Amino acid sequence: MKFSTRAEYGLKAMVNLAKDHPAQKSIKEISKSKEISVKYLERLINELRKSDLVKSQRGKNGGYMLAKKPSLMKVGEIIEVVEGPIVPMNCAGKKCAMLNKCSSQIVVWNKVGEQIKKTLYGIKLSDLI
Amino acid sequence: MKFSTRAEYGLKAMVNLAKDHPAQKSIKEISKSKEISVKYLERLINELRKSDLVKSQRGKNGGYMLAKKPSLMKVGEIIEVVEGPIVPMNCAGKKCAMLNKCSSQIVVWNKVGEQIKKTLYGIKLSDLI
DNA sequence: TCAATGCATACTAATTAAGTAGGATTAAAA
DNA sequence: TTTTAATCCTACTTAATTAGTATGCATTGA
């Protein structure tokens, strides 16, 4: 029950951009401490761009900037972009037929999922600066 | 951001035992629908035994039973036994030095972790019968 | 003693996460 | 117009984790 490094890297990159908003920064600048592969981060940010959380400028002197103000961005939406939907258990498929019906346990996963979403969508990017 | 099948199987087994509490049941009975490897479930339940959530009787006609009443057992403790501690991000180690300090993000992971625990420890096994 | 059960350990397979490589595309600057 | 520095795209490789299997030992009631 963990978030992956994608959530960590993605969020860190966004915080980094938020600190200098609305400045535009290149990948190299964003990952300047070199503790992470530039290429890997590049792809992550690209996904954030495709989901319209960041804007990009191609070509020389290009880079990235936030697509909206940090106060309008929720941690939850960032994480869902890089990690996929927040659902703590995929209750579909063959496995769910085992033992008895799993109707009782769905209650558990749903409650947990709701709480996680509530928490993550309750934190603004601007809260982390 | 998902729980593994260990949480699913473990919880289902416990619900199964809870339904007939305080009866004793063998692994075969617990997993009677055969949608899961008996051996795999055996090991899972063994871990629950070592953590004193179930009691076992070895030998012929042996089996398992809950170590306490379903109303005294929390879903959270079951899941932590089979899945390990509920912490949504391991903020230790080299990676945490990347980009800037990660002090701001720790707030996020801590909040989420607390909410998940609160939710899971707020559900009794007896609530799932 | 036999058979049915739990217990322990090691091994293998499958899946997912993480990281790497190479080059195409774009646009500013020289 | 050429060079250069940046994003964008796709495929591949490696590492880590999860899931499942196999084998045999230990225990106990019939």
Side-chain angles (χ1 to χ4, degrees):
Chain A
M1 222 304 296
K2 293 226 186 336
F3 291 97
S4 70
T5 58
R6 296 173 67 87
E8 186 189 347
Y9 297 162
L11 189 53
K12 279 184 173 159
M14 291 298 273
V15 168
N16 188 293
L17 281 175
K19 279 179 176 157
D20 297 311
H21 184 71
Q24 178 180 283
K25 307 172 77 173
S26 72
I27 285 280
K28 282 182 186 170
E29 289 170 316
I30 295 172
S31 73
K32 57 172 170 288
S33 81
K34 314 238 176 171
E35 301 263 348
I36 179 188
S37 155
V38 167
K39 279 294 197 181
Y40 195 45
L41 185 59
E42 192 179 338
R43 282 194 326 192
L44 273 183
I45 294 188
N46 215 321
E47 290 174 39
L48 291 163
R49 176 187 63 84
K50 285 176 178 165
S51 300
D52 296 318
L53 295 187
V54 307
K55 288 185 290 190
S56 70
Q57 170 68 42
R58 299 186 69 173
K60 196 168 183 180
N61 298 330
Y64 301 91
M65 62 177 291
L66 295 185
K68 42 185 177 174
K69 286 195 298 179
S71 58
L72 295 178
M73 229 174 276
K74 306 303 174 62
V75 169
E77 57 183 334
I78 295 168
I79 289 180
E80 290 207 296
V81 164
V82 294
E83 282 240 328
I86 294 171
V87 282
M89 180 71 73
N90 50 350
C91 277
K94 50 177 182 166
K95 283 168 187 163
C96 230
M98 76 157 285
L99 291 174
N100 312 293
K101 303 282 178 297
C102 60
S103 52
S104 57
Q105 281 126 92
I106 283 181
V107 173
V108 174
W109 312 133
N110 285 349
K111 271 195 187 177
V112 174
E114 284 312 306
Q115 281 304 318
I116 297 175
K117 278 193 211 164
K118 197 173 162 188
T119 305
L120 291 179
Y121 277 85
I123 306 176
K124 291 175 289 192
L125 187 53
S126 53
D127 296 333
L128 301 182
I129 301 175
Chain B
M1 223 308 295
K2 293 228 185 337
F3 290 97
S4 70
T5 58
R6 297 174 65 86
E8 185 188 347
Y9 296 162
L11 189 53
K12 278 183 173 161
M14 290 297 274
V15 168
N16 189 294
L17 281 175
K19 279 178 175 157
D20 298 311
H21 184 73
Q24 176 181 286
K25 307 172 79 172
S26 70
I27 284 283
K28 281 183 186 169
E29 289 171 316
I30 295 171
S31 73
K32 57 173 169 289
S33 81
K34 313 239 179 174
E35 301 263 349
I36 178 186
S37 155
V38 168
K39 280 295 193 182
Y40 195 45
L41 185 59
E42 194 178 338
R43 284 193 324 187
L44 274 182
I45 293 188
N46 216 318
E47 290 174 39
L48 290 163
R49 177 188 62 84
K50 285 177 179 167
S51 300
D52 297 317
L53 296 187
V54 309
K55 287 186 290 189
S56 71
Q57 170 69 43
R58 300 184 70 172
K60 195 165 183 181
N61 298 330
Y64 301 90
M65 63 176 291
L66 295 186
K68 42 185 179 178
K69 286 194 298 183
S71 58
L72 296 177
M73 231 176 276
K74 305 304 173 62
V75 169
E77 57 184 334
I78 295 168
I79 290 181
E80 290 208 294
V81 164
V82 295
E83 282 239 328
I86 295 171
V87 281
M89 179 72 72
N90 50 349
C91 276
K94 50 178 180 166
K95 283 168 189 163
C96 232
M98 77 157 285
L99 292 176
N100 313 292
K101 302 283 178 298
C102 60
S103 51
S104 58
Q105 280 127 90
I106 284 182
V107 172
V108 174
W109 312 132
N110 285 349
K111 270 195 188 177
V112 174
E114 285 313 306
Q115 282 304 318
I116 297 175
K117 279 193 212 166
K118 197 174 162 186
T119 306
L120 291 179
Y121 277 86
I123 306 176
K124 291 175 289 191
L125 187 54
S126 53
D127 296 332
L128 302 181
I129 301 174

